[in-house]
Amino acid sequence: MKNHSDKIQLLVHGGRGGSIIARKQYELVKKFILDVFQHCDQITLTELMQLADIELAPSFRGEIAWILLNTKRDLEARGILEITHQKNRIQVISLKRIKFYRSYRKTFIDRF
């Protein structure tokens, strides 16, 4: 029987509970999204999905697009990501908290 800690309930806008997914998948996709911001200040949703197909899909079980979108929404609900829309309705994603970014970047850099 699987432990309850093997799953995580995602947050949606307004702090409500959303979908429940495997914690390993969540952590993998969360790390992927946050690592993108080591190389750029912002990225479109389309670009993020294309990168995920290249980086994650070969070793990923399940629907990567669905998990990526829901993890992005979770990070937005937690106040980590900020989503803006261009006039042509393209979503642009960036880190919202400078404090979080600096903390994450230091942790990321310290690993190497």
Side-chain angles (χ1 to χ4, degrees), residues 53-112:
D53 279 341
I54 294 166
E55 299 283 327
L56 297 177
S59 62
F60 198 83
R61 286 188 164 160
E63 181 58 48
I64 186 67
W66 183 87
I67 292 175
L68 179 79
L69 287 172
N70 283 283
T71 302
K72 175 197 69 86
R73 287 183 189 127
D74 174 81
L75 294 174
E76 181 183 12
R78 294 178 192 276
I80 297 169
L81 295 181
E82 182 174 38
I83 312 300
T84 56
H85 294 87
Q86 296 176 342
K87 287 182 181 180
N88 53 2
R89 300 181 67 181
I90 293 176
Q91 283 190 29
V92 178
I93 306 162
S94 59
L95 285 176
K96 186 172 185 178
R97 294 189 194 171
I98 298 301
K99 181 179 178 183
F100 174 82
Y101 173 72
R102 288 184 182 145
S103 170
Y104 181 77
R105 185 175 182 152
K106 182 180 183 328
T107 303
F108 181 80
I109 291 170
D110 289 346
R111 291 189 313 196
F112 296 99

Short mmCIF file of all heavy atoms in Angstrom, two decimals, residues 53-112:
data_model
loop_
_atom_site.label_atom_id
_atom_site.label_comp_id
_atom_site.label_asym_id
_atom_site.label_seq_id
_atom_site.Cartn_x
_atom_site.Cartn_y
_atom_site.Cartn_z
N ASP A 53 8.97 18.96 -23.21
CA ASP A 53 8.93 17.82 -24.13
C ASP A 53 10.35 17.31 -24.42
O ASP A 53 10.56 16.11 -24.53
CB ASP A 53 8.24 18.20 -25.45
CG ASP A 53 6.74 18.14 -25.35
OD1 ASP A 53 6.22 17.48 -24.41
OD2 ASP A 53 6.07 18.76 -26.20
N ILE A 54 11.29 18.22 -24.53
CA ILE A 54 12.67 17.83 -24.81
C ILE A 54 13.35 17.26 -23.57
O ILE A 54 13.99 16.21 -23.62
CB ILE A 54 13.47 19.04 -25.35
CG1 ILE A 54 12.92 19.47 -26.70
CG2 ILE A 54 14.96 18.73 -25.44
CD1 ILE A 54 13.40 20.83 -27.16
N GLU A 55 13.22 17.97 -22.45
CA GLU A 55 13.96 17.63 -21.24
C GLU A 55 13.32 16.50 -20.42
O GLU A 55 14.02 15.66 -19.88
CB GLU A 55 14.09 18.87 -20.34
CG GLU A 55 14.83 20.01 -20.97
CD GLU A 55 16.33 19.81 -20.97
OE1 GLU A 55 16.85 19.19 -20.03
OE2 GLU A 55 16.97 20.28 -21.92
N LEU A 56 12.01 16.54 -20.27
CA LEU A 56 11.34 15.62 -19.34
C LEU A 56 10.70 14.40 -19.98
O LEU A 56 10.68 13.34 -19.38
CB LEU A 56 10.27 16.37 -18.54
CG LEU A 56 10.75 17.50 -17.63
CD1 LEU A 56 9.55 18.18 -16.98
CD2 LEU A 56 11.71 16.98 -16.58
N ALA A 57 10.15 14.57 -21.15
CA ALA A 57 9.35 13.51 -21.76
C ALA A 57 10.07 12.17 -21.89
O ALA A 57 9.47 11.14 -21.62
CB ALA A 57 8.81 13.96 -23.11
N PRO A 58 11.36 12.14 -22.27
CA PRO A 58 12.00 10.83 -22.43
C PRO A 58 12.02 9.98 -21.16
O PRO A 58 11.96 8.76 -21.23
CB PRO A 58 13.43 11.19 -22.86
CG PRO A 58 13.31 12.54 -23.47
CD PRO A 58 12.23 13.24 -22.69
N SER A 59 12.09 10.60 -20.00
CA SER A 59 12.18 9.82 -18.76
C SER A 59 10.94 9.99 -17.88
O SER A 59 10.97 9.68 -16.71
CB SER A 59 13.41 10.27 -17.98
OG SER A 59 13.30 11.63 -17.62
N PHE A 60 9.86 10.45 -18.48
CA PHE A 60 8.68 10.81 -17.69
C PHE A 60 7.52 9.88 -18.01
O PHE A 60 7.24 9.62 -19.16
CB PHE A 60 8.28 12.25 -18.02
CG PHE A 60 7.38 12.88 -17.00
CD1 PHE A 60 7.91 13.44 -15.85
CD2 PHE A 60 6.03 12.90 -17.18
CE1 PHE A 60 7.09 14.02 -14.90
CE2 PHE A 60 5.19 13.47 -16.25
CZ PHE A 60 5.73 14.03 -15.11
N ARG A 61 6.86 9.44 -16.95
CA ARG A 61 5.66 8.62 -17.13
C ARG A 61 4.45 9.49 -16.92
O ARG A 61 4.38 10.27 -15.99
CB ARG A 61 5.63 7.49 -16.12
CG ARG A 61 6.59 6.42 -16.43
CD ARG A 61 6.34 5.27 -15.50
NE ARG A 61 6.99 4.10 -16.04
CZ ARG A 61 7.28 3.06 -15.32
NH1 ARG A 61 6.98 3.02 -14.05
NH2 ARG A 61 7.87 2.03 -15.87
N GLY A 62 3.50 9.36 -17.78
CA GLY A 62 2.27 10.14 -17.64
C GLY A 62 2.21 11.28 -18.64
O GLY A 62 3.09 11.44 -19.48
N GLU A 63 1.18 12.06 -18.52
CA GLU A 63 0.92 13.18 -19.42
C GLU A 63 1.69 14.40 -18.95
O GLU A 63 1.27 15.10 -18.03
CB GLU A 63 -0.59 13.46 -19.47
CG GLU A 63 -0.99 14.57 -20.40
CD GLU A 63 -0.56 14.35 -21.84
OE1 GLU A 63 -0.78 13.25 -22.37
OE2 GLU A 63 -0.01 15.29 -22.43
N ILE A 64 2.83 14.66 -19.57
CA ILE A 64 3.71 15.75 -19.15
C ILE A 64 3.02 17.12 -19.27
O ILE A 64 3.17 17.96 -18.39
CB ILE A 64 5.06 15.73 -19.91
CG1 ILE A 64 6.02 16.79 -19.36
CG2 ILE A 64 4.88 15.96 -21.39
CD1 ILE A 64 6.47 16.53 -17.98
N ALA A 65 2.26 17.35 -20.32
CA ALA A 65 1.62 18.65 -20.51
C ALA A 65 0.63 18.94 -19.38
O ALA A 65 0.61 20.05 -18.82
CB ALA A 65 0.92 18.72 -21.86
N TRP A 66 -0.17 17.95 -19.01
CA TRP A 66 -1.16 18.14 -17.94
C TRP A 66 -0.48 18.43 -16.61
O TRP A 66 -0.86 19.34 -15.88
CB TRP A 66 -2.04 16.89 -17.84
CG TRP A 66 -3.13 17.04 -16.83
CD1 TRP A 66 -4.37 17.58 -17.04
CD2 TRP A 66 -3.09 16.66 -15.46
NE1 TRP A 66 -5.09 17.56 -15.86
CE2 TRP A 66 -4.33 17.00 -14.87
CE3 TRP A 66 -2.11 16.08 -14.65
CZ2 TRP A 66 -4.62 16.77 -13.54
CZ3 TRP A 66 -2.41 15.84 -13.32
CH2 TRP A 66 -3.65 16.18 -12.77
N ILE A 67 0.55 17.64 -16.29
CA ILE A 67 1.25 17.83 -15.01
C ILE A 67 2.01 19.15 -15.01
O ILE A 67 2.04 19.86 -14.00
CB ILE A 67 2.17 16.63 -14.73
CG1 ILE A 67 1.30 15.39 -14.46
CG2 ILE A 67 3.10 16.90 -13.55
CD1 ILE A 67 2.04 14.11 -14.28
N LEU A 68 2.60 19.53 -16.14
CA LEU A 68 3.30 20.81 -16.23
C LEU A 68 2.33 21.97 -16.00
O LEU A 68 2.62 22.88 -15.21
CB LEU A 68 3.97 20.96 -17.60
CG LEU A 68 4.72 22.27 -17.81
CD1 LEU A 68 6.06 22.23 -17.12
CD2 LEU A 68 4.90 22.55 -19.28
N LEU A 69 1.19 21.95 -16.66
CA LEU A 69 0.21 23.03 -16.50
C LEU A 69 -0.30 23.12 -15.06
O LEU A 69 -0.42 24.21 -14.50
CB LEU A 69 -0.97 22.83 -17.45
CG LEU A 69 -0.69 23.10 -18.92
CD1 LEU A 69 -1.87 22.67 -19.77
CD2 LEU A 69 -0.38 24.58 -19.14
N ASN A 70 -0.60 21.98 -14.46
CA ASN A 70 -1.12 22.00 -13.10
C ASN A 70 -0.05 22.37 -12.07
O ASN A 70 -0.35 23.05 -11.09
CB ASN A 70 -1.78 20.66 -12.76
CG ASN A 70 -3.14 20.57 -13.40
OD1 ASN A 70 -4.09 21.17 -12.91
ND2 ASN A 70 -3.24 19.87 -14.51
N THR A 71 1.18 21.97 -12.30
CA THR A 71 2.27 22.39 -11.41
C THR A 71 2.52 23.88 -11.54
O THR A 71 2.74 24.58 -10.55
CB THR A 71 3.55 21.58 -11.70
OG1 THR A 71 3.27 20.19 -11.55
CG2 THR A 71 4.68 21.97 -10.77
N LYS A 72 2.44 24.40 -12.76
CA LYS A 72 2.59 25.85 -12.97
C LYS A 72 1.49 26.60 -12.23
O LYS A 72 1.75 27.59 -11.55
CB LYS A 72 2.53 26.17 -14.46
CG LYS A 72 2.55 27.68 -14.77
CD LYS A 72 2.09 27.99 -16.18
CE LYS A 72 0.65 27.73 -16.43
NZ LYS A 72 -0.30 28.79 -16.11
N ARG A 73 0.27 26.12 -12.31
CA ARG A 73 -0.85 26.76 -11.59
C ARG A 73 -0.64 26.70 -10.08
O ARG A 73 -0.94 27.64 -9.36
CB ARG A 73 -2.17 26.09 -11.96
CG ARG A 73 -2.63 26.42 -13.35
CD ARG A 73 -3.99 25.79 -13.64
NE ARG A 73 -4.30 25.95 -15.05
CZ ARG A 73 -4.65 24.96 -15.85
NH1 ARG A 73 -4.73 23.73 -15.39
NH2 ARG A 73 -4.93 25.19 -17.11
N ASP A 74 -0.12 25.57 -9.60
CA ASP A 74 0.17 25.42 -8.18
C ASP A 74 1.22 26.44 -7.73
O ASP A 74 1.05 27.10 -6.71
CB ASP A 74 0.66 23.99 -7.91
CG ASP A 74 1.12 23.79 -6.48
OD1 ASP A 74 0.26 23.58 -5.61
OD2 ASP A 74 2.34 23.85 -6.24
N LEU A 75 2.28 26.57 -8.50
CA LEU A 75 3.34 27.52 -8.15
C LEU A 75 2.83 28.96 -8.22
O LEU A 75 3.26 29.81 -7.44
CB LEU A 75 4.56 27.33 -9.06
CG LEU A 75 5.28 25.98 -8.89
CD1 LEU A 75 6.37 25.82 -9.94
CD2 LEU A 75 5.84 25.82 -7.49
N GLU A 76 1.91 29.22 -9.12
CA GLU A 76 1.28 30.54 -9.19
C GLU A 76 0.42 30.77 -7.94
O GLU A 76 0.48 31.83 -7.32
CB GLU A 76 0.44 30.67 -10.45
CG GLU A 76 -0.23 32.02 -10.60
CD GLU A 76 -1.13 32.11 -11.81
OE1 GLU A 76 -1.44 31.07 -12.44
OE2 GLU A 76 -1.53 33.24 -12.14
N ALA A 77 -0.36 29.77 -7.54
CA ALA A 77 -1.22 29.89 -6.36
C ALA A 77 -0.40 30.06 -5.09
O ALA A 77 -0.84 30.72 -4.15
CB ALA A 77 -2.13 28.66 -6.25
N ARG A 78 0.80 29.51 -5.06
CA ARG A 78 1.68 29.63 -3.89
C ARG A 78 2.46 30.96 -3.89
O ARG A 78 3.23 31.23 -2.98
CB ARG A 78 2.65 28.45 -3.83
CG ARG A 78 1.96 27.13 -3.57
CD ARG A 78 2.95 25.97 -3.56
NE ARG A 78 2.26 24.70 -3.60
CZ ARG A 78 1.77 24.08 -2.53
NH1 ARG A 78 1.91 24.62 -1.33
NH2 ARG A 78 1.13 22.93 -2.65
N GLY A 79 2.27 31.75 -4.95
CA GLY A 79 2.94 33.05 -5.02
C GLY A 79 4.37 32.99 -5.49
O GLY A 79 5.13 33.94 -5.30
N ILE A 80 4.76 31.90 -6.12
CA ILE A 80 6.13 31.74 -6.60
C ILE A 80 6.27 32.23 -8.03
O ILE A 80 7.25 32.87 -8.39
CB ILE A 80 6.58 30.27 -6.47
CG1 ILE A 80 6.59 29.89 -4.98
CG2 ILE A 80 7.94 30.05 -7.10
CD1 ILE A 80 6.74 28.41 -4.72
N LEU A 81 5.28 31.93 -8.86
CA LEU A 81 5.29 32.36 -10.26
C LEU A 81 4.27 33.47 -10.48
O LEU A 81 3.25 33.53 -9.79
CB LEU A 81 4.94 31.20 -11.19
CG LEU A 81 5.91 30.03 -11.26
CD1 LEU A 81 5.41 29.00 -12.25
CD2 LEU A 81 7.31 30.47 -11.60
N GLU A 82 4.57 34.29 -11.45
CA GLU A 82 3.63 35.32 -11.88
C GLU A 82 3.33 35.10 -13.35
O GLU A 82 4.25 34.89 -14.15
CB GLU A 82 4.25 36.70 -11.67
CG GLU A 82 3.35 37.84 -12.04
CD GLU A 82 3.95 39.18 -11.67
OE1 GLU A 82 5.17 39.35 -11.81
OE2 GLU A 82 3.19 40.04 -11.25
N ILE A 83 2.07 35.14 -13.69
CA ILE A 83 1.64 34.93 -15.08
C ILE A 83 1.06 36.23 -15.60
O ILE A 83 0.19 36.83 -14.98
CB ILE A 83 0.56 33.83 -15.17
CG1 ILE A 83 0.95 32.57 -14.39
CG2 ILE A 83 0.24 33.52 -16.63
CD1 ILE A 83 2.23 31.91 -14.82
N THR A 84 1.58 36.68 -16.73
CA THR A 84 1.02 37.85 -17.39
C THR A 84 0.60 37.42 -18.80
O THR A 84 1.06 36.40 -19.30
CB THR A 84 2.03 39.01 -17.47
OG1 THR A 84 3.23 38.55 -18.12
CG2 THR A 84 2.39 39.53 -16.08
N HIS A 85 -0.28 38.19 -19.38
CA HIS A 85 -0.76 37.87 -20.73
C HIS A 85 -0.42 39.01 -21.67
O HIS A 85 -0.67 40.17 -21.35
CB HIS A 85 -2.28 37.64 -20.73
CG HIS A 85 -2.67 36.43 -19.96
ND1 HIS A 85 -2.91 36.45 -18.61
CD2 HIS A 85 -2.86 35.15 -20.36
CE1 HIS A 85 -3.23 35.25 -18.20
NE2 HIS A 85 -3.21 34.43 -19.23
N GLN A 86 0.16 38.66 -22.81
CA GLN A 86 0.42 39.65 -23.83
C GLN A 86 -0.87 39.92 -24.59
O GLN A 86 -1.86 39.21 -24.43
CB GLN A 86 1.50 39.14 -24.78
CG GLN A 86 2.84 38.94 -24.11
CD GLN A 86 3.88 38.36 -25.04
OE1 GLN A 86 3.57 37.80 -26.08
NE2 GLN A 86 5.14 38.50 -24.67
N LYS A 87 -0.87 40.94 -25.43
CA LYS A 87 -2.07 41.29 -26.20
C LYS A 87 -2.59 40.14 -27.04
O LYS A 87 -3.77 39.99 -27.23
CB LYS A 87 -1.80 42.50 -27.09
CG LYS A 87 -1.69 43.78 -26.32
CD LYS A 87 -1.47 44.95 -27.25
CE LYS A 87 -1.35 46.23 -26.45
NZ LYS A 87 -1.13 47.39 -27.29
N ASN A 88 -1.69 39.31 -27.51
CA ASN A 88 -2.09 38.17 -28.35
C ASN A 88 -2.43 36.93 -27.52
O ASN A 88 -2.46 35.83 -28.04
CB ASN A 88 -0.99 37.85 -29.36
CG ASN A 88 0.35 37.66 -28.70
OD1 ASN A 88 0.47 37.71 -27.48
ND2 ASN A 88 1.37 37.44 -29.50
N ARG A 89 -2.69 37.12 -26.21
CA ARG A 89 -3.11 36.10 -25.26
C ARG A 89 -2.04 35.06 -24.95
O ARG A 89 -2.35 33.99 -24.42
CB ARG A 89 -4.40 35.42 -25.74
CG ARG A 89 -5.53 36.40 -25.89
CD ARG A 89 -6.78 35.76 -26.33
NE ARG A 89 -7.25 34.87 -25.26
CZ ARG A 89 -8.32 34.14 -25.33
NH1 ARG A 89 -9.05 34.16 -26.41
NH2 ARG A 89 -8.68 33.35 -24.35
N ILE A 90 -0.80 35.35 -25.24
CA ILE A 90 0.29 34.44 -24.90
C ILE A 90 0.64 34.64 -23.43
O ILE A 90 0.83 35.76 -22.97
CB ILE A 90 1.52 34.71 -25.80
CG1 ILE A 90 1.19 34.33 -27.24
CG2 ILE A 90 2.74 33.96 -25.28
CD1 ILE A 90 2.29 34.63 -28.23
N GLN A 91 0.71 33.53 -22.71
CA GLN A 91 1.08 33.59 -21.30
C GLN A 91 2.58 33.74 -21.16
O GLN A 91 3.34 32.99 -21.76
CB GLN A 91 0.66 32.31 -20.57
CG GLN A 91 -0.77 32.21 -20.26
CD GLN A 91 -1.05 31.03 -19.32
OE1 GLN A 91 -0.20 30.63 -18.53
NE2 GLN A 91 -2.24 30.47 -19.45
N VAL A 92 3.00 34.69 -20.33
CA VAL A 92 4.41 34.88 -20.02
C VAL A 92 4.59 34.57 -18.53
O VAL A 92 3.90 35.13 -17.68
CB VAL A 92 4.87 36.32 -20.35
CG1 VAL A 92 6.33 36.50 -19.98
CG2 VAL A 92 4.64 36.62 -21.82
N ILE A 93 5.52 33.70 -18.23
CA ILE A 93 5.74 33.22 -16.87
C ILE A 93 7.05 33.80 -16.34
O ILE A 93 8.06 33.80 -17.05
CB ILE A 93 5.82 31.69 -16.85
CG1 ILE A 93 4.59 31.09 -17.51
CG2 ILE A 93 6.02 31.16 -15.43
CD1 ILE A 93 4.76 29.64 -17.92
N SER A 94 7.03 34.28 -15.11
CA SER A 94 8.24 34.77 -14.46
C SER A 94 8.16 34.46 -12.98
O SER A 94 7.09 34.14 -12.45
CB SER A 94 8.41 36.27 -14.69
OG SER A 94 7.31 36.98 -14.19
N LEU A 95 9.31 34.55 -12.30
CA LEU A 95 9.31 34.36 -10.85
C LEU A 95 8.71 35.59 -10.20
O LEU A 95 9.02 36.71 -10.58
CB LEU A 95 10.73 34.14 -10.33
CG LEU A 95 11.34 32.78 -10.59
CD1 LEU A 95 12.79 32.76 -10.11
CD2 LEU A 95 10.56 31.68 -9.93
N LYS A 96 7.88 35.39 -9.20
CA LYS A 96 7.21 36.50 -8.55
C LYS A 96 8.01 37.05 -7.38
O LYS A 96 8.13 38.25 -7.21
CB LYS A 96 5.83 36.07 -8.07
CG LYS A 96 4.99 37.18 -7.51
CD LYS A 96 3.60 36.70 -7.24
CE LYS A 96 2.71 37.84 -6.80
NZ LYS A 96 1.34 37.37 -6.59
N ARG A 97 8.55 36.16 -6.60
CA ARG A 97 9.24 36.58 -5.39
C ARG A 97 10.74 36.67 -5.62
O ARG A 97 11.40 35.67 -5.85
CB ARG A 97 9.01 35.59 -4.27
CG ARG A 97 7.61 35.53 -3.79
CD ARG A 97 7.61 34.67 -2.56
NE ARG A 97 6.26 34.28 -2.22
CZ ARG A 97 5.98 33.40 -1.30
NH1 ARG A 97 6.93 32.80 -0.65
NH2 ARG A 97 4.74 33.10 -1.04
N ILE A 98 11.27 37.87 -5.51
CA ILE A 98 12.72 38.04 -5.63
C ILE A 98 13.40 37.31 -4.48
O ILE A 98 14.41 36.65 -4.66
CB ILE A 98 13.10 39.54 -5.64
CG1 ILE A 98 12.48 40.23 -6.84
CG2 ILE A 98 14.60 39.73 -5.62
CD1 ILE A 98 12.88 39.68 -8.19
N LYS A 99 12.83 37.39 -3.27
CA LYS A 99 13.40 36.71 -2.12
C LYS A 99 13.47 35.20 -2.38
O LYS A 99 14.48 34.57 -2.13
CB LYS A 99 12.58 36.98 -0.88
CG LYS A 99 13.11 36.34 0.37
CD LYS A 99 12.24 36.68 1.56
CE LYS A 99 12.75 36.00 2.80
NZ LYS A 99 11.90 36.26 3.95
N PHE A 100 12.39 34.62 -2.90
CA PHE A 100 12.38 33.19 -3.20
C PHE A 100 13.43 32.88 -4.26
O PHE A 100 14.17 31.93 -4.14
CB PHE A 100 11.00 32.76 -3.70
CG PHE A 100 10.99 31.32 -4.17
CD1 PHE A 100 10.86 30.30 -3.26
CD2 PHE A 100 11.15 31.01 -5.51
CE1 PHE A 100 10.88 28.98 -3.68
CE2 PHE A 100 11.17 29.70 -5.93
CZ PHE A 100 11.04 28.69 -5.01
N TYR A 101 13.49 33.70 -5.29
CA TYR A 101 14.43 33.49 -6.38
C TYR A 101 15.85 33.47 -5.87
O TYR A 101 16.63 32.59 -6.19
CB TYR A 101 14.25 34.58 -7.43
CG TYR A 101 15.29 34.56 -8.52
CD1 TYR A 101 15.28 33.57 -9.49
CD2 TYR A 101 16.29 35.51 -8.57
CE1 TYR A 101 16.23 33.53 -10.49
CE2 TYR A 101 17.24 35.49 -9.56
CZ TYR A 101 17.21 34.49 -10.52
OH TYR A 101 18.16 34.46 -11.49
N ARG A 102 16.20 34.45 -5.04
CA ARG A 102 17.57 34.51 -4.51
C ARG A 102 17.87 33.29 -3.66
O ARG A 102 18.95 32.72 -3.74
CB ARG A 102 17.76 35.80 -3.71
CG ARG A 102 17.83 37.01 -4.60
CD ARG A 102 18.10 38.26 -3.81
NE ARG A 102 18.10 39.41 -4.72
CZ ARG A 102 17.65 40.59 -4.40
NH1 ARG A 102 17.18 40.83 -3.20
NH2 ARG A 102 17.69 41.57 -5.28
N SER A 103 16.92 32.89 -2.83
CA SER A 103 17.11 31.72 -1.98
C SER A 103 17.28 30.48 -2.84
O SER A 103 18.17 29.67 -2.61
CB SER A 103 15.90 31.57 -1.06
OG SER A 103 15.96 30.34 -0.40
N TYR A 104 16.43 30.31 -3.84
CA TYR A 104 16.51 29.14 -4.71
C TYR A 104 17.80 29.15 -5.51
O TYR A 104 18.48 28.14 -5.62
CB TYR A 104 15.31 29.09 -5.66
CG TYR A 104 15.36 27.88 -6.55
CD1 TYR A 104 15.01 26.63 -6.06
CD2 TYR A 104 15.81 27.98 -7.86
CE1 TYR A 104 15.08 25.50 -6.85
CE2 TYR A 104 15.88 26.85 -8.66
CZ TYR A 104 15.52 25.63 -8.15
OH TYR A 104 15.61 24.51 -8.93
N ARG A 105 18.16 30.31 -6.03
CA ARG A 105 19.37 30.41 -6.84
C ARG A 105 20.60 30.06 -6.01
O ARG A 105 21.46 29.33 -6.45
CB ARG A 105 19.50 31.82 -7.42
CG ARG A 105 20.67 31.93 -8.36
CD ARG A 105 20.70 33.28 -9.01
NE ARG A 105 21.81 33.31 -9.93
CZ ARG A 105 21.85 34.03 -11.00
NH1 ARG A 105 20.86 34.81 -11.30
NH2 ARG A 105 22.89 34.00 -11.79
N LYS A 106 20.68 30.54 -4.75
CA LYS A 106 21.80 30.22 -3.89
C LYS A 106 21.86 28.71 -3.66
O LYS A 106 22.92 28.12 -3.76
CB LYS A 106 21.66 30.96 -2.56
CG LYS A 106 22.82 30.71 -1.62
CD LYS A 106 22.64 31.47 -0.32
CE LYS A 106 23.78 31.33 0.64
NZ LYS A 106 24.52 30.13 0.66
N THR A 107 20.73 28.10 -3.36
CA THR A 107 20.68 26.66 -3.16
C THR A 107 21.12 25.93 -4.42
O THR A 107 21.90 24.98 -4.37
CB THR A 107 19.26 26.21 -2.77
OG1 THR A 107 18.87 26.93 -1.61
CG2 THR A 107 19.19 24.73 -2.52
N PHE A 108 20.65 26.40 -5.57
CA PHE A 108 20.99 25.78 -6.85
C PHE A 108 22.50 25.88 -7.11
O PHE A 108 23.15 24.92 -7.45
CB PHE A 108 20.22 26.46 -7.97
CG PHE A 108 20.49 25.87 -9.32
CD1 PHE A 108 19.87 24.70 -9.72
CD2 PHE A 108 21.37 26.49 -10.21
CE1 PHE A 108 20.12 24.15 -10.96
CE2 PHE A 108 21.62 25.94 -11.45
CZ PHE A 108 20.99 24.77 -11.83
N ILE A 109 23.06 27.06 -6.89
CA ILE A 109 24.47 27.29 -7.16
C ILE A 109 25.34 26.52 -6.17
O ILE A 109 26.38 25.98 -6.54
CB ILE A 109 24.78 28.80 -7.12
CG1 ILE A 109 24.12 29.48 -8.34
CG2 ILE A 109 26.28 29.07 -7.12
CD1 ILE A 109 24.14 30.97 -8.31
N ASP A 110 24.92 26.44 -4.91
CA ASP A 110 25.69 25.73 -3.89
C ASP A 110 25.83 24.24 -4.18
O ASP A 110 26.75 23.60 -3.68
CB ASP A 110 25.07 25.91 -2.50
CG ASP A 110 25.26 27.33 -1.97
OD1 ASP A 110 26.08 28.07 -2.55
OD2 ASP A 110 24.58 27.67 -0.99
N ARG A 111 24.92 23.70 -4.98
CA ARG A 111 25.00 22.27 -5.29
C ARG A 111 26.15 21.95 -6.22
O ARG A 111 26.56 20.81 -6.34
CB ARG A 111 23.69 21.79 -5.93
CG ARG A 111 22.55 21.80 -4.96
CD ARG A 111 21.36 21.12 -5.55
NE ARG A 111 21.09 21.57 -6.90
CZ ARG A 111 19.97 21.40 -7.54
NH1 ARG A 111 18.99 20.77 -6.94
NH2 ARG A 111 19.80 21.83 -8.76
N PHE A 112 26.68 22.93 -6.92
CA PHE A 112 27.74 22.67 -7.90
C PHE A 112 29.08 23.15 -7.45
O PHE A 112 29.31 23.85 -6.60
CB PHE A 112 27.37 23.32 -9.24
CG PHE A 112 26.15 22.73 -9.83
CD1 PHE A 112 24.92 23.34 -9.68
CD2 PHE A 112 26.20 21.53 -10.49
CE1 PHE A 112 23.77 22.78 -10.22
CE2 PHE A 112 25.08 20.96 -11.04
CZ PHE A 112 23.85 21.60 -10.89
#
